[in-house]
Structure formats: structure tokens, C-alpha cells
Amino acid sequence: MRFFETAGAALLLCTLSLPFAWSKSTGTAGPANLTGTDSVYEQLLQQLQQLEGPVPERPPVYPTLALYNAEAVIPPQCYTRTDAQYNPCYVCHQAAVPGRENRMDDGVLQQEYQFSEVGLSNHWQNLFEDRSARVAAIGEEEILAWIDEDNYSALAPRLRAAGFKGWIPDLTDLQSGTGAFDENGMARDGSAWVAFNYKPMPSTFWPTNGSTDDVMIRLAPEMRQTAAAIESEEVYRANLALVEANIKGMPEITTRPLNEAVIGADLDGDGVLATAIVIRNTNHYVGAAAGWFKQDWLYPLGTEFLHTVRYIGIGADDQIQISRRMKEVRYMRKQYVLPQFALNNAYREEAYAKADGYLPGYIDQGQHGLDNEMGWLIQGFIEDRKGLLRASTFEENLFCMGCHTSVGATIDKVFSFARKVDGADGWGYINLRGMPDAPNRGELRGEIATYLERVGGGGEFRNNPEMQERWFDAEGKVDHDLIAEAKDVYTLITPSRERALELNKAYRVLVEDQDYIYGRDATVTPPANVYREIDPASVPTLSAEQAYRWDIRLDWDQASPNEVP
């Protein structure tokens, strides 16, 4: 959601009446007569650098008035130079798909730098910092020991001891990754979290660009119970499959064998309550949720997502894997469901406000996170200066809101689940080994091969020399024959040991500084292909022919996807 960029309107839902001063240099509002010379956000940074507990203090003013970057919802990647030929923008900004819930219809942003006055300045200062000397000062054994430490297990008890009111991480042994789940992806601790195997979004979550990650889903209690309100894994797995079919627009979906008699529904439509391995009756949920209204392309009430962002782990024989240490723990919960007409209005209002240059604003739920006004509550945790996880601040949470509210590519504001390996084969902890470079729906060539060609590099910033050397020829063209020989996604998007160590060290420096509001990309030297300032009248942009229609969903059945069509 976006609101007037005048400082008075930035108060939004705040009932306080405070004097303010507007800073043209930063484009942010701050209270008048501050103690000392530091702005509120600088004082908050100082507090974070000295923080001992897991919950940062709230600012002395309404959080909107303590922002350094009022356009924190614009990620650093949006300041990439396209140079009238490279298009990394298409994977987020898309024209509306007929019939789908997402009406953001922002495909035009592939061709325009459409920012508010505040957004014209790139506030992500950390992109322009040279960390070479500090990275070189960190030893190999030191960083390997750092990334192998468990900083997750202590988070929940520390939050409880601090009286934290928001969601508290409740999945045991998540630091071990696959060890926390059974062969069906079900959490071994009985928490009802379920891991799924998905293809990471290009290219922010490719390990070669700095992080590994995983995502888990959990449905509401009624979705896990029989009609008699008895807990049932059979019912739960059936409803998980039905949610997947709904989000992907699939008329039927495969499943691991399900006992229809226990579920109380003829899932495969054969007229007999027996064992089903395909669900064809996808029009309603089952069990205690059988009477729930199911809206196309929307997650049901109470759906939760748990996303951990980690360092690049290095295993035996230099194999790339997740690390035990987590950079971030991110959480989303569907706390209310809007009808389609209300969502349409919300998207329309967002588009109007953005076009008029209004600044973003969301409902602040305090320790519970931020409400995107489209049904989702979003909350995060991030490393403190000692590497312990702590609750994210208002501005650190704000960073997540744009991608999970107002980009045209998502399905119900979520990226990962629509990218899950289809059906039965996709349940279980993320595993890039053996995963094909499946194309997006409607494409003929593998997604990664297509992305590299359209972007002209191994990431949005085109600052990954290793990817350039591996998958491009001497003339800077994608080597499709070589990519076609790659046996899986793991081969295509994981870094060498040397690059993994370097990126881990670069992020370790960010943790020391605690200045995530200036950016959290693991860069060592400043990327050359990023603007500090945007002049809409003069920056080169893309033509209509260089803009692409793109579907976040993948065609897992497509054969030989990397062959040149």
C-alpha cells in the first residue's frame, strides 16, 4: 500500500501528534529537536550495534518517522543498469494473467524506472562499499566455523524469556535441514510444518549469488483433521495437494498413496473409497475443512510459510549445501482472506498511488510484524552483531513488503510454492541435485538458460565472473550447448568453494556492522552495473520487444528444456 509522501501523512495510523523535520537529502521524515546531531535511524543503528537481547527497542517515535529509506520496498536489484539490452526485471514485474488473483499488472516496469522522488536515489549504500580488505582479514577456518554454528535453536527460548509477543519459531532441529523432516517432508517434531522441493527464484536465491535457503508450509488445524476433528496425516497430505493444485491452476495432481476411506472422500473420482495416487476432485478441501470456501489462486485462511536464508555451506568434497547458521528466519501467515473484488481494488489503489509518487505504508502490528492489507502478516528475524538471531526492526521488515505485496509475478504474494516440483515428487526438503532446468510455463528453453541470455550475466547486477566464465563464451554469449550438458540445477547455480568462502565472508562483515538498512547483499567490491541516482529522462531503457511475458510456474514435464529451439 502507498500513501502521501508528505511527512504529515506518513503518520498514517499513528495517533500521536509530533513535530517533524523533512530531510531532502535522504527523503525521510524525522522528528524535530532530536537529542544530539544523529537522526533517529542512526541512533537505532547504534543501539543495534550494542544490542544484547533478541528484541530491539522500538523507536521513540512512530516507526515511519524513524526510517532511513522510506522506499525500502524497492530492492537493490531495481537500480540495475539495463543499458537498453539487459532485462533482469521480468521475473518480478509482469502483466496480469487473465483469471489470476494478481492484478498488479506491472509489466511496464520492465521498460521504465518508475520511482517516487525518494526512490530516484539508491539508498542501498552497502552496494558501493569495498569490503576487500575486511574480507581478506577473515581466515578460512574462521568463516567455516562461523557458518557451521547453530544460531537457530537458542532463538525461541530467548524470545520467550524476553516476553516476545509475535510468532516464535517452533520447528525443532531446523538448523540441520533435511534431518528435521521425514521422507514425506513432514516435520519430525509434530509441528505440522512440511518441507517442499522447489526451484529457487532467479537469481537472488541462487547459491552462486550469496545464499542458500529452504521453505516450509503449514496449513490451519482444520486442514489437518478428519470431519470428526481427529488429527490425520492422510487428510493433511490431501489438503496440501489440493492447495498446490489450486495455486498452480492444475485440474489434477499426483500424490503419495492416500487412504480415501480415512479421508472420507473419493479423491480420484473412480467411485470407490480405496487408495488414491491422483487427485481429480480438486474443487473443495477435505476433512474438517470440507466446507471451506476455496478461492481460485488463493491460499486458505491460516496458511503459514517459514523461510530460512542461510550462508553457503561447504560439505565433503567441497559440495555446496545449506549451512547450519541462518542469516534470516522469515515468516508469513494468511490471517484473513479477501474476496477477489477487494483484492482487485487493493491492486488498483496500489497502482494509482505508485503512479502518483506516494510512499509505501503498511499496518504496523508491532512484534507481530507488518500487515500487507491483502491478507498476509509478515515478520522476520536476522543476525545481531554476535551472530545470534534477533527480531527484525520495522525498517528491516519493510524491506520484505514490496516483493510480498505489489509485484505482478507472484501468486497470492508468495514466490516459492508455485515453483514446487509438481505433485508427489515435490514433497521433501529442497534438493537441487537431480533437479532439471525446467522451463517456465509457455517457454521452450530451461528457465536458467533463458534467464542468463536475457540478463547477460549470472545475476541481476551482472557481477558474477564465475558464472560468466562457466556459461558464457568469449564473446559474452550464453553457451547453450554447454548448459545443455549440465546434469541438474545444482550444477548450474552453485559456486566454487573459493567463491562460497568469499561471499560468506562478505556477509559476515555486514553482520558486524548491523547496517542492513543500507543493504544486505553479499558483495565484496561495488558492482559496476548499478545506478546511484536515477534520472528518468536520460537513463537507457528497454524497448517493447525486450519485455517478456513470464509465468512463475514451471513446466516440470518439458523434455530436454535446455536445447536451443
Side-chain angles (χ1 to χ4, degrees):
M1 300 297 101
R2 288 179 172 264
F3 304 94
F4 288 105
E5 63 177 277
T6 59
L11 289 170
L12 186 56
L13 299 177
C14 180
T15 58
L16 299 177
S17 177
L18 294 171
F20 64 87
W22 181 257
S23 170
K24 291 184 178 179
S25 62
T26 63
T28 58
N33 302 319
L34 285 173
T35 301
T37 58
D38 292 339
S39 65
V40 176
Y41 73 82
E42 288 172 325
Q43 294 177 22
L44 293 176
L45 281 180
Q46 293 170 14
Q47 292 177 8
L48 291 176
Q49 290 163 354
Q50 301 168 10
L51 182 69
E52 295 296 335
V55 184
E57 291 184 24
R58 298 279 286 181
V61 296
Y62 189 73
T64 305
L65 297 178
L67 292 176
Y68 154 69
N69 181 7
E71 281 282 21
V73 299
I74 301 174
Q77 291 80 2
C78 287
Y79 293 94
T80 295
R81 297 174 182 269
T82 65
D83 292 336
Q85 59 179 318
Y86 305 113
N87 185 355
C89 314
Y90 73 95
V91 297
C92 285
H93 302 299
Q94 278 297 310
V97 177
R100 196 173 293 181
E101 60 79 33
N102 192 329
R103 294 289 191 273
M104 193 64 232
D105 198 21
D106 62 352
V108 68
L109 295 184
Q110 294 182 42
Q111 300 171 251
E112 298 179 12
Y113 293 94
Q114 193 182 91
F115 296 150
S116 67
E117 184 177 351
V118 172
L120 294 176
S121 295
N122 186 346
H123 287 71
W124 305 109
Q125 297 180 28
N126 280 340
L127 282 176
F128 308 110
E129 180 179 335
D130 189 334
R131 301 184 184 86
S132 301
R134 296 177 69 184
V135 166
I138 301 174
E140 180 174 317
E141 294 305 316
E142 178 184 351
I143 195 63
L144 288 173
W146 174 263
I147 67 173
D148 195 45
E149 290 178 357
D150 170 18
N151 64 345
Y152 169 80
S153 299
L155 177 58
R158 292 177 70 235
L159 289 170
R160 293 190 186 100
F164 188 70
K165 304 301 182 185
W167 175 78
I168 294 177
D170 57 353
L171 203 170
T172 304
D173 294 331
L174 183 55
Q175 73 280 0
S176 67
T178 186
F181 306 93
D182 67 16
E183 66 278 4
N184 293 318
M186 296 285 177
R188 298 183 185 278
D189 66 355
S191 62
W193 285 108
V194 189
F196 56 91
N197 193 17
Y198 61 97
K199 193 177 183 185
M201 277 287 290
S203 67
T204 300
F205 288 105
W206 288 353
T208 186
N209 288 320
S211 297
T212 58
D213 71 335
D214 55 16
V215 183
M216 286 61 64
I217 187 173
R218 179 165 65 184
L219 301 183
E222 293 88 343
M223 304 285 277
R224 314 175 217 152
Q225 300 170 354
T226 66
I230 299 172
E231 291 287 325
S232 168
E233 184 175 320
E234 300 279 307
V235 170
Y236 193 15
R237 287 198 284 130
N239 279 326
L240 285 164
L242 288 165
V243 170
E244 180 181 354
N246 188 40
I247 292 301
K248 294 181 176 180
M250 300 172 66
E252 64 178 51
I253 191 166
T254 63
T255 177
R256 296 180 185 183
L258 293 175
N259 187 330
E260 294 176 314
V262 170
I263 295 169
D266 180 11
L267 299 173
D268 55 15
D270 65 358
V272 180
L273 295 183
T275 299
I277 58 173
V278 177
I279 299 177
R280 296 188 178 92
N281 293 329
T282 60
N283 293 327
H284 56 81
Y285 299 119
V286 298
W292 282 27
F293 177 61
K294 184 170 79 68
Q295 294 192 70
D296 292 344
W297 307 103
L298 293 179
Y299 292 96
L301 183 68
T303 301
E304 300 167 278
F305 284 98
L306 171 56
H307 177 206
T308 75
V309 183
R310 310 189 187 212
Y311 291 80
I312 309 169
I314 303 173
D317 299 322
D318 293 338
Q319 293 294 296
I320 298 302
Q321 60 191 32
I322 64 162
S323 66
R324 285 164 57 85
R325 175 176 291 280
M326 299 177 189
K327 296 178 177 180
E328 297 182 55
V329 174
R330 300 173 176 179
Y331 173 76
M332 294 178 64
R333 176 167 59 85
K334 191 70 171 290
Q335 59 179 358
Y336 54 88
V337 179
L338 294 176
Q340 187 62 56
F341 77 87
L343 283 171
N344 291 349
N345 288 337
Y347 279 119
R348 188 179 298 112
E349 291 171 3
E350 168 70 11
Y352 289 160
K354 182 176 180 63
D356 287 342
Y358 297 169
L359 292 180
Y362 305 90
I363 297 175
D364 181 18
Q365 299 281 11
Q367 293 181 351
H368 296 277
L370 295 177
D371 180 340
N372 75 349
E373 298 187 70
M374 293 188 182
W376 292 97
L377 192 69
I378 300 173
Q379 178 186 347
F381 305 89
I382 199 164
E383 285 181 280
D384 70 11
R385 76 189 192 286
K386 296 179 180 178
L388 297 172
L389 289 166
R390 61 163 174 80
S392 296
T393 65
F394 178 91
E395 185 165 353
E396 289 164 349
N397 272 331
L398 186 63
F399 170 82
C400 301
M401 298 304 291
C403 292
H404 291 290
T405 303
S406 53
V407 297
T410 61
I411 298 178
D412 198 6
K413 327 304 172 293
V414 178
F415 293 87
S416 58
F417 197 62
R419 301 174 58 77
K420 173 187 172 293
V421 175
D422 288 343
D425 293 338
W427 295 108
Y429 196 74
I430 185 171
N431 183 10
L432 305 183
R433 292 180 178 84
M435 180 184 289
D437 182 21
N440 299 93
R441 301 269 187 103
E443 300 276 1
L444 297 176
R445 185 183 293 157
E447 178 185 60
I448 296 171
T450 299
Y451 182 87
L452 296 178
E453 184 172 74
R454 291 176 178 175
V455 176
E460 295 97 335
F461 301 140
R462 304 196 309 282
N463 67 331
N464 188 325
E466 187 169 89
M467 288 288 282
Q468 204 78 29
E469 181 179 346
R470 285 180 176 181
W471 308 119
F472 291 77
D473 62 24
E475 297 179 354
K477 304 294 184 181
V478 176
D479 190 332
H480 286 287
D481 291 336
L482 192 59
I483 290 179
E485 295 175 4
K487 61 183 179 180
D488 52 20
V489 169
Y490 174 89
T491 304
L492 288 168
I493 65 171
T494 54
S496 65
R497 172 190 177 90
E498 292 72 26
R499 180 169 172 81
L501 289 171
E502 183 178 66
L503 294 173
N504 287 336
K505 293 176 183 179
Y507 193 84
R508 176 72 180 91
V509 171
L510 292 174
V511 171
E512 291 175 355
D513 293 345
Q514 286 294 289
D515 57 356
Y516 304 117
I517 64 170
Y518 300 148
R520 56 187 83 174
D521 295 280
T523 54
V524 180
T525 56
N529 300 311
V530 181
Y531 287 110
R532 288 179 180 266
E533 299 285 338
I534 298 289
D535 179 0
S538 63
V539 295
T541 54
L542 300 171
S543 66
E545 291 73 27
Q546 295 165 309
Y548 305 102
R549 294 296 294 261
W550 181 82
D551 195 326
I552 195 172
R553 302 171 302 166
L554 296 150
D555 187 350
W556 293 103
D557 295 327
Q558 180 84 356
S560 303
N562 284 331
E563 293 181 358
V564 178

